[in-house]
Amino acid sequence: MVPLFFTLFLGVFSKRLTRLNNDEPLEIGPNYKTLWFTEQLDHINRDPGTINIRVLFSQGSPTAPLFVYTGNEGPITQFYQMTGWLVGTLGPQYNASVAFIEHRYYGESIPSPFSWKYLSTDQVLWDFADIIQQLKPSNSTPVIVFGGSYGGMLAAYFRVKYPQFVDGAIASSAPVLMPQDVNGTSYARISTNDYFNVERDCEGNIHNGFLILDNFIDRPLTYTALENIFNPCQSIQEQGDVLALEDFITGAFQDMSQLDYPYPANVGGLLPGFPVNVSCSIMSQFSQNENMWQALMGFAQINNLVYNWTGNLTCFDIYGGEGSGLDPWTYQTCTELIFPLGQYGLPNDMYPVRPWNYQQWAKMCQGLFGVQPRPDWAPINYGMGTFDVNVTLASASNIVFSYGTLDPWGGGCIQEPINDQTTVIGIKGGAHHLDLRTPNPRDPQSVIYARSREVAMINQWIGQAMEKFARY
Ligand SMILES: *[C@@H]1O[C@H](CO)[C@@H](O)[C@H](O)[C@H]1NC(C)=O
Ligand SMILES: *[C@@H]1O[C@H](CO)[C@@H](O)[C@H](O)[C@H]1NC(C)=O
Ligand SMILES: *[C@@H]1O[C@H](CO)[C@@H](O)[C@H](O)[C@H]1NC(C)=O
Ligand SMILES: *[C@@H]1O[C@H](CO)[C@@H](O)[C@H](O)[C@H]1NC(C)=O
Ligand SMILES: *[C@@H]1O[C@H](CO)[C@@H](O)[C@H](O)[C@H]1NC(C)=O
Ligand SMILES: *[C@@H]1O[C@H](CO)[C@@H](O)[C@H](O)[C@H]1NC(C)=O
């Protein structure tokens, strides 16, 4: 059985920026071809070896711009699917060439023989730079990069590091300032606010359910009842199993706040429109007569809504999302990308208490990969992290930083203006990178406005690029 402290750790793994393992068939448009680019495995020290990087590419007019999605932590097909605004609207509108570049170590862009050594954002940005040079129809083609979430961080990093290769960047829901939140309180707090704002009692109902489970942790006589209510694939035999169950339920609520779109959406699982509102109604139904078993049955309904969307699960794999930790995303969060994520209970949040502990995290990284996190790496390399971005990004230009007010990652996003050359856009009632998704009749006015400002900036950047070229 898994030791207790290890279980506590692993709960954090389920909190990825993007839900993975999308089971839906991915329809890639017929105008997109799959291209492969052979890149140096090690652009920096020139260790021998190459890596093949997958690109989805749609050829546009030779005189039109090149739009590039800077791929993040998953198969590039997934980000193609979540970036419908670029695929279906912007690309065709500008008659642009559009490329979705896969991030090395994800999807089908895996090095062989395998070693973790060449997984770093510097190597990734160099892949992007090199591939963009080859894809440009001509020297004068304006290039705009787009990214959501970690992909948005890469889009912003790319403009900062390679301004000569890219005329502007749309960085949507990019939590570049996450390390400033040293105790990692913001994610759980914003998620909790999403539930509170739908209905005052909703937060209380959910918190109450977690208190009941907390109470059962050291009461083994309740374990059989828990099994009957929650139908876990593993039997509940010890404290760690109850904690894992709590983390599983927490994951469902947190996923829904990240994906609280106003219409049904499928991001690694089909959710109804406004899933936070839907789950508040469920919790309210099951909380009416203040019966603790009823409250837990509300949680079971939530699990069913989020995890059993196919309707064919025979049990719930409460340890399933956790894996061994030996995956590329954990490696990245163990080296360059520090995301403090903690839960503290009331008044910070409604979730079971799981404080962020940097020392424990670093110890785990040492154990898993033999590496130490470098919290100063992103701040120094990209000027984004713990420093005041007004100072470190004083000369940055042509970047839009957008964030949604519902998005738990929003706490790590740039929310205040930096300078006149960059733009910060808050999207009221927007979840995680809503602006990049396919426009929908149920979109709030705020995202329609955000997209129109982004288009205005893109036009300005394209104008600047053409002017610059005309001068030579
Ligand atoms: C877009 O570009 C293609 C390829 O050059 C060209 O055939 C087509 O006419 C262009 N469409 C528009 C609307 O400019
Ligand atoms: C983080 O938590 C520690 C321990 O509870 C506390 O002393 C410190 O003030 C907190 N830091 C911030 C910035 O909230
Ligand atoms: C869901 O709750 C939000 C408040 O966060 C509210 O603005 C929205 O109208 C609600 N949607 C529905 C369909 O009830
Ligand atoms: C999943 O949903 C189906 C259809 O509603 C239901 O029959 C089944 O019992 C659910 N699975 C679990 C583990 O609850
Ligand atoms: C459940 O349904 C999904 C989607 O239809 C399918 O991919 C999956 O294999 C099914 N799982 C089981 C256990 O039958
Ligand atoms: C950063 O600079 C912008 C633009 O000059 C200014 O509006 C903002 O107040 C500054 N923020 C901080 C924290 O100094």
Side-chain angles (χ1 to χ4, degrees), residues 370-393:
V371 297
Q372 280 292 315
R374 297 186 60 180
D376 60 343
W377 180 256
I380 291 174
N381 205 24
Y382 302 116
M384 286 173 252
T386 45
F387 301 140
D388 176 358
V389 284
N390 268 27
V391 176
T392 53
L393 295 186

Side-chain angles (χ1 to χ4, degrees), residues 12 161 187 210 219 321 356 404 458:
V12 185
K161 285 295 248 199
Y187 186 101
F210 283 122
R219 295 191 190 167
W356 168 251
I458 291 167

Side-chain angles (χ1 to χ4, degrees), residues 275-330:
V276 168
N277 305 44
V278 171
S279 51
C280 282
S281 317
I282 293 173
M283 289 309 293
S284 147
Q285 273 168 40
F286 282 86
S287 303
Q288 269 160 15
N289 51 10
E290 298 192 3
N291 172 312
M292 66 180 182
W293 300 110
Q294 282 279 314
L296 294 183
M297 279 157 76
F299 277 177
Q301 290 285 314
I302 299 293
N303 285 345
N304 202 50
L305 176 72
V306 175
Y307 300 117
N308 189 19
W309 56 282
T310 54
N312 64 3
L313 292 192
T314 52
C315 59
F316 291 99
D317 188 6
I318 59 171
Y319 285 102
E322 294 172 355
S324 63
L326 283 167
D327 58 78
W329 182 244
T330 305

